[in-house]
Amino acid sequence: MKNPTRSGSPYLFLTEEASKDAVLSVVVNKKNLSYNDASYQFYIIGGFRSVYLNNNEGATPPTVNNKFYLNDGIVSLEGSNGQDFNYSTYCSGATVDLTFSKDSSFYSVIYGSRNDISDFNKPLETRVENVGDSNSNTVKINLSEEGALWRGTLIMGGRSAQAEGLSLNNQKGYSTNFNRVEVTGRNSDKDHSVNLQFKAGGLWGAEGWEASNNLVLLDSVVIQSQSNKTRKLGIVGGRGFFDYRIYDTKGKDDLDSINNTIANGNVVLIKNTIISDPNSLTGASGSVEGMSVFGGYSYGEAANNIVSASNSKINGNVIGGLEMQGVYSLQKGDKPRELHANLVSLHNVVLTD
């Protein structure tokens, strides 16, 4: 199928018959290293709610972009320009369980759940508060077998609706809370071969207007990033993000920052793991770039996030919480932001470069 905002890729997801606590189990048995660009990525998603049209220009009238339907709360369209399949009923509570057998590999994007549906085109009094939520989803990836390799651009526990293409004035979005990404590799004294290889993107517990109480767990994983963009934003517990909107309220008495994005209480646990350290990787291909780690990242509030790493090597910055509080610039004489508390705990960790 084609995604309304990013076309050309095959998708696998749970249809409406799935229960609220459904599990999508996938076993990878063979190797495919030839597909390495976005048009060939295989999307695996637990719960997926979106809209399908034949092309990105929309159907009726042809000048209407597909994003209009996403923001009107429509999940499917009937007729010749519509779809012949069902989306998921739920975008919360799903699990993607991805297991790689010996010497297996393929190129993919993974979501525990992804929700593209909002209803911001509707009058305020008719909107459904949680229509775009994506909560309590889990991604489990097992790469413990010899030679197993995941390749791709993005692994994410949950993503809530972003209301793309609309100009919104200081309005709340959707929640993306209590999601998990757990990756098990095979790093040992004898085997430092790459388990996860990112061409771009990164590994995030969640992304949404509110992305709180999410977990990323990396255990004995060897990661290679081939993109210098991951030094800025590579591994994130929870990213408070609402389609690049930031409500700078400085000097505007009629506004406050209450509806800025939120990323609180996220946790990243890293154990016995090598993150894109060129001197420690076996089997790396292409460039090896840095990969920073954030507990929480938010244009608004980021409080009480934790990064805890032990017995690991990390080529990148390690930041408990990046918190902008709705302020993207300071002028001379302005009072700096008073940031919330976040935590970084490192035990027997080498920060390289």
Side-chain angles (χ1 to χ4, degrees), residues 39 67 101 109 123 142 151 173 185 230 274 280 308:
S39 61
K67 294 177 183 178
S101 59
V109 170
N142 189 329
R151 301 175 64 246
T230 59
I274 299 171
S280 304
S308 177

Side-chain angles (χ1 to χ4, degrees), residues 200-327:
L203 189 153
W204 303 351
E207 177 185 76
W209 173 80
E210 181 181 11
S212 297
N213 301 306
N214 300 286
L215 172 68
V216 169
L217 172 60
L218 304 178
D219 188 353
S220 303
V221 184
V222 180
I223 300 173
Q224 176 193 358
S225 170
Q226 298 174 317
S227 170
N228 59 13
K229 293 182 179 180
T230 59
R231 178 169 285 281
K232 177 181 178 182
L233 194 65
I235 298 170
V236 184
R239 185 188 188 199
F241 176 80
F242 196 35
D243 195 34
Y244 297 100
R245 300 175 180 98
I246 180 169
Y247 306 121
D248 187 354
T249 62
K250 185 175 55 179
K252 301 174 184 177
D253 295 336
D254 58 332
L255 294 175
D256 58 40
S257 59
I258 191 171
N259 288 338
N260 264 305
T261 56
I262 303 166
N264 295 339
N266 299 288
V267 178
V268 177
L269 299 178
I270 300 170
K271 303 187 295 183
N272 190 37
T273 287
I274 299 171
I275 298 178
S276 216
D277 173 30
N279 298 318
S280 304
L281 304 181
T282 303
S285 60
S287 63
V288 179
E289 304 289 347
M291 203 168 194
S292 289
V293 181
F294 295 83
Y297 179 111
S298 176
Y299 289 174
E301 179 180 305
N304 302 316
N305 299 286
I306 298 172
V307 176
S308 177
S310 61
N311 304 315
S312 298
K313 292 184 178 181
I314 302 173
N315 175 17
N317 303 310
V318 181
I319 300 168
L322 187 148
E323 181 181 44
M324 295 186 70
Q325 293 188 355
V327 178

Side-chain angles (χ1 to χ4, degrees), residues 13-17 48 75-76 83-89:
F13 54 87
L14 296 165
T15 61
E16 65 178 358
E17 291 79 16
F48 186 35
V75 181
S76 62
Q83 61 199 38
D84 57 359
F85 56 88
N86 297 316
Y87 279 100
S88 308
T89 300

Side-chain angles (χ1 to χ4, degrees), residues 156-172:
M156 188 176 294
R159 181 185 187 270
S160 60
Q162 290 289 312
E164 295 98 336
L166 295 180
S167 296
L168 301 177
N169 182 25
N170 204 19
Q171 296 187 52
K172 294 181 180 180

Side-chain angles (χ1 to χ4, degrees), residues 64-118:
V64 176
N65 191 283
N66 294 12
K67 294 177 183 178
F68 174 87
Y69 298 99
L70 297 177
N71 293 315
D72 202 33
I74 297 174
V75 181
S76 62
L77 296 173
E78 298 179 357
S80 59
N81 290 308
Q83 61 199 38
D84 57 359
F85 56 88
N86 297 316
Y87 279 100
S88 308
T89 300
Y90 304 103
C91 275
S92 294
T95 296
V96 171
D97 195 340
L98 181 61
T99 301
F100 287 74
S101 59
K102 182 179 179 180
D103 294 325
S104 63
S105 174
F106 79 115
Y107 195 71
S108 62
V109 170
I110 311 294
Y111 289 94
S113 281
R114 171 174 169 150
N115 195 341
D116 292 335
I117 300 299
S118 68

Side-chain angles (χ1 to χ4, degrees), residues 141-145 183-187 195 219-222:
I141 302 178
N142 189 329
L143 292 156
S144 59
E145 291 291 333
V183 184
T184 303
R186 57 181 181 276
N187 183 44
N195 307 151
D219 188 353
S220 303
V221 184
V222 180

